[in-house]
Amino acid sequence: MRGFVLAGLVLASQFAVGAEAPAPREREGDFVIHNFEFSSGETLPEVRIHYHAFGEPKRDSHGVVRNAVLIVHGTGGTGGSLIRAEFSGELFGPGQLLDATRYFIVLPDALGHGKSSKPSDGLHARFPRYGYNDMVETEYRPVDRRPGCETRAAHHGNFHGLHAYLAVG
């Protein structure tokens, strides 16, 4: 009898460990900005900002999304570089600080990085000159230019901390 009870407890503990909430669903996409004018005055007919998103936008009674969180990567990184156990795994799960069941989390690739528009896509030296303000403007567009969306900004990394500062100041 003792063996059955012990086996039952071991089996039950395996189900308890395996009963963790599922990881939040990630999706990728591209937000295309049409006729974007850079700070230099130059324009491109299309600027593509690639992103990873977790959670769902939740609208208030006026239709405004109130749960959007934008997290930007560090120098030379991508939004996808933040999808790892020690970052998104610690922040986006149920009950965690940025629980993806509560927040709409967007991780963009900055202009010139990852799968977003960059000079090496083909324009090379003909790509418009761009700086921090252009990067900030294009990072926020996938969230803030959606009708009725309010961003709660968060930041990660080094020079993108400056981007969060530029966006609010």
Side-chain angles (χ1 to χ4, degrees):
M1 181 67 169
R2 223 183 249 175
F4 286 118
V5 171
L6 184 56
L9 288 173
V10 170
L11 187 60
S13 70
Q14 294 301 313
F15 283 113
V17 170
E20 295 176 15
R25 186 177 71 83
E26 170 205 355
R27 60 193 176 283
E28 286 187 69
D30 291 310
F31 185 84
V32 177
I33 304 166
H34 297 281
N35 301 313
F36 183 74
E37 184 174 346
F38 291 81
S39 298
S40 66
E42 299 166 279
T43 61
L44 277 180
E46 289 189 352
V47 172
R48 182 186 65 258
I49 299 299
H50 187 75
Y51 65 88
H52 297 262
F54 294 85
E56 297 297 328
K58 294 183 180 159
R59 299 182 183 279
D60 67 13
S61 60
H62 301 287
V64 177
V65 174
R66 299 288 185 180
N67 67 329
V69 177
L70 180 69
I71 303 177
V72 295
H73 58 79
T75 307
T78 66
S81 68
L82 302 175
I83 303 169
R84 57 184 197 275
E86 62 273 10
F87 190 82
S88 60
E90 294 292 327
L91 293 173
F92 301 168
Q96 294 173 328
L97 183 63
L98 295 174
D99 183 336
T101 63
R102 295 182 56 214
Y103 296 103
F104 175 50
I105 305 160
V106 180
L107 312 169
D109 291 354
L111 180 67
H113 294 77
K115 295 179 183 176
S116 289
S117 294
K118 56 187 159 295
S120 62
D121 287 344
L123 290 177
H124 301 286
R126 293 184 318 276
F127 195 89
R129 290 169 289 149
Y130 65 95
Y132 286 126
N133 288 330
D134 298 313
M135 294 173 81
V136 169
E137 177 65 23
T138 57
E139 285 170 337
Y140 277 76
R141 289 272 183 112
V143 177
D144 279 352
R145 294 297 190 240
R146 291 173 190 253
C149 193
E150 177 182 279
T151 306
R152 297 174 188 233
H155 68 85
H156 175 268
N158 35 31
F159 89 107
H160 284 291
L162 172 64
H163 289 199
Y165 173 77
L166 289 172
V168 297

